[in-house]
Each structure stands twice: as C-alpha cells, then as structure tokens.
Amino acid sequence: MAEMFSLIVFFLVLKLSFLFCYLSDPRCFWRIKDRENYLGDKEADCFFSIYTKRGYVKNDYFSENLDKKVTRKTIYLISSVYFAIEEINRNIHILPNISLLVKIDCNLIEDNVERVWSLKKKEIIPNYYCKNQRRYLIVLTGPIWITSYILGPFLYFSRTPELYCGYFHLLLSDQEQFPHLYQMTPKDTSLPLAMVSLAVHFRWNWVGVIITDDDHGIQFLSELRTGMERNTVCLAFVTSITYDKMLYLKMTHKYYHQIIMSSAKVVVVYGDKESPLQLNFMLWKSKNIQRLWVSVSQFDMITMMGDFMLNSIHGTLIFSHQQSEMSGFKHFIQRVNPSNYSNDISLAKLWWTYFKCSLPPPDCKTLKNCPTKTLFQWLFEPPLGMSMSETCYNLYNAVYAAAHSIHEMFLQHVDTSSENDENVLEFNSWKMFSFVKNIQFVNPAGDLVNMNQNRKLDTEYDIFYITDFLKHEGLKMKIGRFSGHFPNGQQLFISDEMIEWATDIKQTLASICSVPCRPGLRKYFQEGKSVCCFDCYPCPENEISNMTDMDQCVKCPEDEYANTNQTKCFKKVVTFLAYEDPSGMALAVLAVCFSVLTSVVLCVFLKHRNTPIVKANNETLSYVLLTSLIFCFICSLLYIGYPTMVSCILQQTTFAIVFTVAASCVLAKTITVVLAFKITVPGRRLRWLLLSGAPNYIIPICTMIQMILCGIWLGTSPPFVDADLHMVHGHIIIVCNKGSVIAFYCVLGYMGCLALSSFTVAFLARNLPDTFNEAKLLTFSMLVFCSVWITFLPVYHSTKGKAMVAVEVFCILASSAGMLVCIFLPKCYIILLRPQINSFHDFRKIHVKVININ
C-alpha cells in the first residue's frame, strides 16, 4: 500500500515538474483525407480474447483474411493489440517463458444473427467451450459500446471478465448489470470544467451545446450547465439529437433552425458518434454552417464524405485524454502490412502522423501565409511517427494490464493448470479480474496506468486544434492542456504561441451575446433574458467603472471626482478666489486703485474745503461718504484669499455696515438738498431742521438699524467656512457660507430700501435750480447702485464656485465706483480743471446774472 502511494506521488510530482516543458515542446500531426475510402473512419466492433502458452509463440497477424473483413480503421485498432502483445512476448521481465496470444472476432453485431448464435456460438462466447477446446482468460472489447451492452451479459454468465476499451459510456458503468466489465477510459468528470475553463480563457460567454438524447448526454449537460453558471458563461441553445430515426427526420429542420438562428459562434458537441449526430454534421456541412466546434476525441474522425466530421473554417478544438506517443508503432504497422502501409503517405491516410514541429517554420509568420512548399518540408521533418487514437491507446494498456495481472498471479503462486494442452496455461479468470482491477504499472511510454478506479489521479486532457490546410490535408496541433492537479483557476494551460500561429481565434471569433461594456459603462440586464445579454449604460455622475463588463459602478469618495470617461477617480482641486488667480488679482488691483482714488478725492476736498462747491452740499456728509467708500473698496479684499472664520464674519458685517453708511450719507445729502430749497421760500418753518443738522442724524440711525440686523444674524446663524464638494465638477470650493440666507437678504434688502429711498428723493429734486445742486448727481449714483445690485441677484445665483465670489466682489466695486464717479467726478472736474467758477466772487456774478434774467 505504501509503495503504491509513493509511486502515485512520484508520478504526480513528475508530471507537475515537466508540465511547462511539455507545453513548450510543440506536437503536431498531419493526415491525408483519403476520398477513395468511402467508409472513412468507420470502426467495427471487435472481441479480443486473450490466452497464454508456454514458451515464445508468435501471433498469426491478420490470419483468416481478417484484414479483408474489417475497415482500415479497425485494422489500425487491431495493430495496437498485436503491437502490445509482441512487446510483452519479447520482454523478459514480464511473463518470462510465457506468451500472450489473442483471438479476434469482429463485426459481431452486423453478422448474420442465426450464423452467430447457432453456428459460432462457442467462439463468440469464449467460455462456452467443449472438452479439449481453448479457454480464454479475459476479453478486450471496443470501440462500439453497444456490442458490450448486448453481448456483455453472456460473458458474465460464462464468468469471463471484460475490459471495454472504447469511449466511456454511462450505461456500462452499472456494476449490478455489468459486474464483469471494466472501462479503460475514465469517466469525463473533469471535462465540463475543462470546457468551461477554455470558454473563460477565450472570453466566450455565449455557447451552444449539441448532445445526444440519452443519459450520457443529459448528465454531461447538467454538469456543464453548473460550471457555466459559476463562471458566467451562458447557454445560447441546447440541441438534443434523438436516436429515434422517424422522430429525427421530423426534427431535422428544428435542429438546423436552432443553430442557424443563434448568434453563438462556439458550439460544444458531446455524445455518441454512432448516433444520428454524425448525419447531422454532414447535413450542416452541405449547408455551409460555420462554427468553432469544441468536442472530444471520438469526434476526431473522417466521415464517408471524405471530410472531418467537425469541419469548419474556424477549425475544431478537441479534448483528448492525455497519452504519449509510441515510437515503434509506425514501424510495426509497416512490418505487418508491408503492402498497404509501406510509406508515410499511406500511413497519413490511415491516421494522424506526428512530428516535432518547430514554430514558426521558415518564411512563415502564420499558418495561413505559409507557402505550400514550405509546409510540405515542415511536415516531413524527421522524426515522423504513427500516433495512437484514444481507443488504440486503451487497447494497448489493456493488454499490458492483463499481462501484469497474470505476472502478479505467478508471483503470488496462484494455481495454474495445463489440462488440455501441456503448452496452454489455464487460469481462474475471475481471480485474474480481481488482480486487473487493482493493478498499476508504468507502460513503455512512461505513463503511469492505475486500474484502481478509486485511486485514479484526476483526469488530464490534451487540447488539440484541428483544421484543414492545403487541399486534402488536415493539421492537428496541441495547443494546451487541462490538469485537475492544480487549484481552480490554474488548471488550464494554453500555448499562446501555437494559438497565434495556427489560428485567429482571439482576433476574429467572439462568441458573445452582447458587446462587452467598456470601462466607464455598466451592464444593464434585460428582463427575461440571460445574464450574458445586457445593454451598456453610462455610470451615474461621479461614479466609475475601471474594468470591462462591470455590473455596478463604484462611487468616488467625496474628495475625489470621476474623469470625463468615468474610468478613474482623481483628487478634487481645492479652489477659492485667490490673489494668484487672474480674476482675483484684477479685482484686488481695482479695489486698491479705487480706494487710493477715493483717498485722493478726499484729500482734494479737504484741501478745497472752503470753496463753494464743497461747502454748498454739506461738506461733512461728503467727507463721511468718501470715507465710507474707501472702506467699501477695502472690504472687497476680505473676499479674496483663503477664507477663514474671521474673514467670513468680517466680509458680511463690514460690507453691510459700510454700505449702509454710504447709502444713508446719500440719503442725508438728498434730504439736505430738498430742505435747503424748502426753507428758502418765505414763510417756511423748516429752517430750524436744516440749521440744527437734523439730516446728519439719518446716518447713525440707519447704521444702528443695520447693526441690529447684523447682530441678530451673527447671533442666530453666523457665516462660516464651507467646503462645497458638488458645486463645480472636480473641485472643492472653499467659500464663506452665508449661514442664514434670510438674514443675508434682509441686510441686502435694507440697503436696497435706503438706496431706493435716496434715488426717489433725488429724482424728485433733480430739477431744483441752484448753481451747485447735486440732486442730479445723486440720482445717477443711486441709479447705478440700484442697477448693479438688481443685476447682481440673477447673476449671483447662476454662477458657481469662485466665480460667484468674484461676482459679489465686482458688484461691491461697481456700486462703490458708481457713487464715487457719479457724485464726485464732476466736482473734482470743477475744482481741478474749472477753478474760476469755484469762487465766491464768480459765484456772486453768476447769482446776480440769474436774478437779472429773472
């Protein structure tokens, strides 16, 4: 037991160690389509009955004209049995001084029933023998499973064990019905996973399936469907080919309609090749249905039409149980059949001939671009050898299994006898069967053969690509391997070099239901349809998808934003109205310039304070207005730069108070003008209001009211520094939040009322006669002021980010500049450029002229 386990571990490690080396050593095969052979790769059912004799006894190869009764493919299968027996009989380490012999019977089902069961019953059922008649140890059967299914029970009745060497079939695995039968081919437990892994590797998610309508096909479909669901591969259609001939004829159009109407470019084929499935593919070939077929080795065959059964311009992918090549098999076939298979061409018509292909051949970047001469030179590069089909390899190993079992019986001194002939050895066949089912050995090719079903290693598959090339030739190349020894996701190995050279699968063959959603889009699944069928919708705002075919988009963090293609998240740029910005710099320069200009005007007024134009309009109010305008310009600088809590509070309160002072000054000056004209009329009693300076009290009263409003604002919901993450895409706007919006608009509305009152009074007094009447100037200044702030409201709400702050600063500067220019620019013009009219002497002349005119 320990030795058996050690041997298994040794071979497992050996296989894993040389796996990549094995894939890097390309193996190619070529074959000629023999169109003169109307049978194609048709096989006959055969019984290979094994018995022994003492000494070296040579088998009579193809005796009784056997080669004339069977097809070429059957001769090929028989040759593998003869080849194994000859190797064993020449091997002194296995059954020394004992020879294995074989009796071959073929076409058992097709032979005449009466002749089989009446005349040759004793030969067909080996252990039904008469006295002095040969008794067989074990029977090898194949490749057609139905023969074992029908005749197998008779072998059991005669206590003769059977090794079935054809493709695994579920019905033959029933131990209650077939306790005497052992299937050399392992069950395809890993095949569905291997095919799904291949689909995932090539990114095929829309695959059709064709199976035979039996338990074998249905079980495979169930396992395949499970693997597909785990890997998001979908079934485009399922075609189940019936065995019933009449029903098949009725369903032919439906089968054709299913595959022609499907958008799937890749189709998995599995089932019994002896079913009507073969007829289906010949029909589809005539209809020029082109798909990439994915199947198993039993469908690697040439039909009676002289073409590969799975024929397509895209080629065929075949999964085959892993096996090695027998170097002496080619020479053996040529030796025992020198007339039929004397050269490589005749062998290539029989089956695949293998050669070690170095890629790429000279002057050949791809298979399609290879010159014909180069291809032929490449094909005939030595060494050439005859490959074995899977059934051949099973027959070969079955012969060795029988030989090793007999050898083991000798070593364990199991009784033997020579009852009928002193050279014929008799064994207990049933005891031998128990040895066969537990034996393990290494065959001449170096492969470990473990007959214990419970301890077999995980199934491994070679993956071959088969395609037509030249005119009548086929090329078969090993492109990868599937090994169950590795963890999930690492079991499939594909040679990209072989794929790119021999095929254009990756570039041209996309078997998908929907076009993959590129990064930046997400999948939107269609109701009632497969998960592989979907639409692609853009990700919502500030969400990304950075991979293909994402189900959901990922939201960017609050401090990041999605790029235009919505494939990446970038850090948002922190932005505010800075002095470094062109707009911030321009506004700051304007604020400083206007404040300096206002200071200059103030100095001019102070210097010329004794002139009529200064004294005529309440020089104190002019000084206060100019001072407030200076602060109006300066307070705009509080809006520029990185906001802080202090600057945010000062912005609003300073702006509100200094503008209130300016507006109330204009209102006071306007009322002063009106009162001045009112009291000059005889009989008026309002002279005391003007003499007492009552209009000057308007400024503190109005300012006090504004300060109360600001106090309420600061006490309830003061302004604060706020980071607006969503106002401008890709930016974090650092702004001063107004806090209470109601309070802000109350303050702004109060200033608007003052300005509107000043405008109304000034407008009414605009036509009062006087040399230095500034009512018109006040009217224009308030018109500009009101126009600026009325325009401010819609513009302010339509801008975002630092542009909104710039609009507010601009309105402060524009309204302040409007008052400065409209009220004081004409006066400065007179003071500085027309000083002759700004004197009491000239003022009296003008006054007298006015009186005389009147």
Side-chain angles (χ1 to χ4, degrees):
M1 186 70 67
E3 292 179 358
M4 182 185 298
F5 179 76
S6 301
L7 190 61
I8 292 175
V9 172
F10 170 75
F11 275 93
L12 176 61
V13 173
L14 191 64
K15 282 180 177 289
L16 297 179
S17 301
F18 290 98
L19 179 61
F20 293 100
C21 296
Y22 186 73
L23 280 175
S24 63
D25 183 23
R27 285 197 300 163
C28 301
F29 307 79
W30 75 289
R31 187 178 183 187
I32 298 175
K33 300 176 183 178
D34 187 4
R35 298 186 182 274
E36 297 177 0
N37 177 21
Y38 68 93
L39 292 175
D41 283 339
K42 181 177 175 59
E43 298 171 327
D45 53 305
C46 292
F47 273 26
F48 303 90
S49 305
I50 304 295
Y51 63 99
T52 59
K53 281 190 176 182
R54 294 185 185 277
Y56 177 74
V57 181
K58 184 178 180 181
N59 280 272
D60 295 329
Y61 300 130
F62 301 102
S63 60
E64 302 178 10
N65 296 319
L66 183 62
D67 57 337
K68 297 180 181 179
K69 298 179 182 179
V70 296
T71 63
R72 291 185 184 180
K73 184 66 178 297
T74 307
I75 293 175
Y76 168 70
L77 298 177
I78 294 172
S79 298
S80 66
V81 175
Y82 282 144
F83 177 58
I85 289 177
E86 182 171 289
E87 283 186 339
I88 292 168
N89 291 343
R90 293 180 181 276
N91 191 337
I92 61 173
H93 301 291
I94 304 176
L95 298 177
N97 202 33
I98 297 175
S99 296
L100 284 185
L101 291 96
V102 61
K103 174 67 172 64
I104 302 175
D105 294 287
C106 294
N107 295 318
L108 302 181
I109 298 297
E110 294 182 1
D111 282 350
N112 184 275
V113 175
E114 291 184 3
R115 183 175 65 83
V116 170
W117 295 112
S118 63
L119 300 179
K120 291 197 173 183
K121 180 179 179 182
K122 58 184 181 296
E123 293 186 9
I124 301 306
I125 310 301
N127 275 26
Y128 280 69
Y129 66 99
C130 301
K131 190 175 181 180
N132 298 325
Q133 184 183 338
R134 180 186 305 137
R135 184 173 183 176
Y136 301 107
L137 300 175
I138 195 167
V139 176
L140 315 182
T141 61
I144 301 173
W145 69 272
I146 193 66
T147 306
S148 295
Y149 185 79
I150 295 174
L151 301 181
F154 293 99
L155 293 176
Y156 175 59
F157 296 154
S158 64
R159 308 292 288 176
T160 303
E162 175 186 356
L163 294 182
Y164 171 69
C165 300
Y167 300 99
F168 181 89
H169 202 282
L170 194 62
L171 291 177
L172 299 181
S173 62
D174 186 353
Q175 287 300 303
E176 292 185 1
Q177 189 174 358
F178 303 101
H180 69 292
L181 186 144
Y182 179 94
Q183 297 194 66
M184 292 295 296
T185 304
K187 185 179 179 181
D188 291 322
T189 53
S190 300
L191 183 63
L193 176 60
M195 289 185 171
V196 171
S197 300
L198 185 73
V200 172
H201 177 82
F202 287 113
R203 297 180 181 177
W204 301 326
N205 66 3
W206 195 236
V207 178
V209 176
I210 300 174
I211 59 170
T212 48
D213 188 15
D214 54 17
D215 293 341
H216 201 44
I218 292 171
Q219 182 176 357
F220 169 79
L221 176 62
S222 175
E223 294 173 357
L224 183 70
R225 195 191 300 271
T226 302
M228 285 181 166
E229 289 173 353
R230 291 174 181 169
N231 293 274
T232 320
V233 179
C234 303
L235 285 174
F237 65 90
V238 176
T239 299
S240 185
I241 307 295
T242 181
Y243 280 87
D244 188 293
K245 293 182 180 179
M246 295 300 296
L247 182 59
Y248 172 77
L249 292 176
K250 294 179 181 179
M251 297 289 289
T252 303
H253 179 71
K254 180 183 177 182
Y255 298 151
Y256 172 77
H257 184 77
Q258 275 185 317
I259 191 169
I260 202 69
M261 294 303 293
S262 174
S263 60
K265 299 295 187 295
V266 176
V267 179
V268 173
V269 181
Y270 188 82
D272 183 8
K273 69 175 181 179
E274 302 299 331
S275 69
L277 195 62
Q278 186 174 159
L279 182 60
N280 233 45
F281 282 101
M282 287 191 286
L283 176 63
W284 290 345
K285 168 67 176 176
S286 66
K287 299 288 187 180
N288 197 32
I289 294 179
Q290 302 295 340
R291 299 290 187 272
L292 176 68
W293 309 109
V294 180
S295 190
V296 289
S297 57
Q298 66 170 306
F299 292 97
D300 174 12
M301 59 176 291
I302 291 177
T303 65
M304 63 181 68
M305 304 298 293
D307 282 315
F308 291 119
M309 179 176 174
L310 304 179
N311 187 277
S312 171
I313 59 173
H314 301 299
T316 303
L317 293 175
I318 293 293
F319 284 80
S320 175
H321 289 107
Q322 204 171 79
Q323 61 191 57
S324 301
E325 308 302 340
M326 301 298 173
S327 58
F329 189 45
K330 169 188 171 183
H331 300 293
F332 177 80
I333 293 178
Q334 290 178 325
R335 180 162 55 84
V336 298
N337 287 283
S339 59
N340 295 326
Y341 307 108
S342 58
N343 55 48
D344 291 334
I345 298 296
S346 59
L347 287 173
K349 291 181 179 180
L350 177 63
W351 190 243
W352 294 102
T353 298
Y354 72 86
F355 61 100
K356 184 176 181 180
C357 47
S358 56
L359 292 180
D363 305 323
C364 251
K365 292 185 178 180
T366 63
L367 176 62
K368 290 183 177 180
N369 298 327
C370 273
T372 304
K373 183 179 179 181
T374 303
L375 279 177
F376 273 113
Q377 291 176 350
W378 182 60
L379 293 177
F380 286 98
E381 283 184 2
L384 293 173
M386 192 70 184
S387 69
M388 280 189 171
S389 68
E390 195 167 320
T391 303
C392 275
Y393 191 68
N394 288 337
L395 285 168
Y396 180 85
N397 284 332
V399 175
Y400 267 93
H404 280 285
S405 299
I406 297 170
H407 188 81
E408 191 69 22
M409 292 174 71
F410 268 110
L411 293 179
Q412 295 188 22
H413 307 290
V414 176
D415 293 337
T416 61
S417 61
S418 303
E419 294 180 359
N420 303 318
D421 186 343
E422 62 179 6
N423 290 327
V424 177
L425 291 173
E426 298 288 348
F427 292 90
N428 186 318
S429 299
W430 211 248
K431 286 185 178 180
M432 176 187 170
F433 191 44
S434 64
F435 279 92
V436 170
K437 290 190 295 184
N438 292 283
I439 199 75
Q440 66 174 359
F441 58 92
V442 179
N443 68 15
D447 292 339
L448 174 65
V449 181
N450 184 6
M451 301 291 287
N452 191 329
Q453 294 281 15
N454 297 325
R455 294 181 180 175
K456 280 192 174 183
L457 300 177
D458 290 337
T459 305
E460 295 184 351
Y461 294 95
D462 287 331
I463 305 173
F464 294 96
Y465 175 75
I466 300 177
T467 185
D468 290 333
F469 79 109
L470 300 179
K471 189 174 181 181
H472 300 297
E473 286 76 22
L475 180 65
K476 178 178 175 181
M477 305 179 68
K478 181 178 177 180
I479 61 167
R481 168 186 288 188
F482 179 87
S483 176
H485 305 306
F486 288 89
N488 289 335
Q490 303 176 21
Q491 298 166 316
L492 182 70
F493 300 89
I494 296 293
S495 172
D496 292 330
E497 181 187 13
M498 299 289 277
I499 287 288
E500 292 173 4
W501 184 81
T503 78
D504 54 1
I505 291 175
K506 287 187 174 181
Q507 290 76 20
T508 62
L509 197 67
S511 190
I512 54 178
C513 180
S514 299
V515 177
C517 295
R518 62 169 177 80
L521 302 177
R522 66 177 179 88
K523 293 194 289 187
Y524 179 80
F525 296 101
Q526 302 172 10
E527 187 176 354
K529 291 190 177 182
S530 172
V531 294
C532 299
C533 302
F534 49 82
D535 296 321
C536 295
Y537 282 8
C539 289
E541 186 178 357
N542 210 42
E543 293 187 12
I544 65 164
S545 61
N546 55 6
M547 293 186 296
T548 304
D549 280 345
M550 287 189 66
D551 294 336
Q552 297 293 333
C553 298
V554 179
K555 191 174 182 64
C556 291
E558 288 293 324
D559 60 340
E560 295 182 359
Y561 71 98
N563 62 348
T564 306
N565 295 328
Q566 293 184 284
T567 56
K568 291 182 180 180
C569 289
F570 293 106
K571 283 287 185 182
K572 290 182 178 179
V573 179
V574 177
T575 182
F576 52 90
L577 187 61
Y579 288 103
E580 293 80 9
D581 293 338
S583 57
M585 185 179 298
L587 292 172
V589 169
L590 284 176
V592 172
C593 290
F594 276 116
S595 61
V596 171
L597 179 61
T598 308
S599 300
V600 170
V601 172
L602 178 59
C603 292
V604 170
F605 267 59
L606 289 173
K607 183 177 180 181
H608 300 86
R609 59 184 176 275
N610 295 320
T611 60
I613 198 167
V614 176
K615 287 183 172 293
N617 296 289
N618 197 333
E619 58 180 315
T620 304
L621 291 178
S622 296
Y623 299 152
V624 174
L625 179 56
L626 286 170
T627 304
S628 65
L629 288 177
I630 292 172
F631 283 104
C632 285
F633 290 122
I634 293 175
C635 81
S636 64
L637 298 175
L638 294 172
Y639 291 82
I640 305 174
Y642 192 88
T644 61
M645 190 67 179
V646 175
S647 64
C648 286
I649 293 174
L650 288 178
Q651 278 180 15
Q652 307 305 328
T653 54
T654 305
F655 160 72
I657 293 171
V658 296
F659 261 80
T660 300
V661 172
S664 58
C665 282
V666 174
L667 179 60
K669 288 174 73 68
T670 307
I671 292 173
T672 300
V673 171
V674 173
L675 290 178
F677 280 97
K678 293 289 184 180
I679 63 174
T680 56
V681 179
R684 296 290 182 180
R685 299 180 180 179
L686 298 176
R687 183 180 180 86
W688 66 272
L689 288 174
L690 184 62
L691 296 175
S692 63
N696 295 339
Y697 291 102
I698 292 175
I699 299 173
I701 293 171
C702 293
T703 304
M704 186 61 67
I705 295 173
Q706 185 69 289
M707 292 178 68
I708 292 172
L709 291 175
C710 289
I712 296 172
W713 183 6
L714 296 179
T716 55
S717 181
F720 58 91
V721 179
D722 190 17
D724 197 321
L725 303 174
H726 309 290
M727 181 181 293
V728 179
H729 180 70
H731 293 78
I732 299 176
I733 307 299
I734 307 299
V735 294
C736 288
N737 193 300
K738 300 295 188 294
S740 175
V741 178
I742 296 175
F744 170 73
Y745 283 110
C746 285
V747 168
L748 199 62
Y750 177 71
M751 286 192 297
C753 290
L754 290 179
L756 189 59
S757 301
S758 301
F759 171 74
T760 302
V761 175
F763 181 78
L764 295 175
R766 70 189 184 283
N767 292 322
L768 294 176
D770 197 0
T771 303
F772 299 115
N773 182 11
E774 62 178 354
K776 290 182 180 180
L777 303 181
L778 296 176
T779 302
F780 280 115
S781 69
M782 287 298 100
L783 180 62
V784 172
F785 185 91
C786 292
S787 300
V788 168
W789 287 104
I790 290 173
T791 307
F792 162 78
L793 293 175
V795 175
Y796 180 79
H797 288 288
S798 63
T799 55
K800 295 180 179 180
K802 60 184 180 182
M804 186 170 62
V805 181
V807 167
E808 192 171 356
V809 174
F810 179 79
C811 287
I812 293 173
L813 295 177
S815 57
S816 303
M819 287 191 288
L820 175 66
V821 172
C822 291
I823 297 174
F824 295 100
L825 185 60
K827 296 180 180 182
C828 290
Y829 172 78
I830 293 173
I831 293 172
L832 299 176
L833 300 179
R834 300 289 299 275
Q836 65 276 11
I837 64 173
N838 188 24
S839 64
F840 286 104
H841 177 72
D842 292 330
F843 175 76
R844 289 191 186 97
K845 286 182 179 180
I846 295 171
H847 186 66
V848 170
K849 188 185 293 186
V850 171
I851 294 172
N852 292 334
I853 291 173
N854 292 336

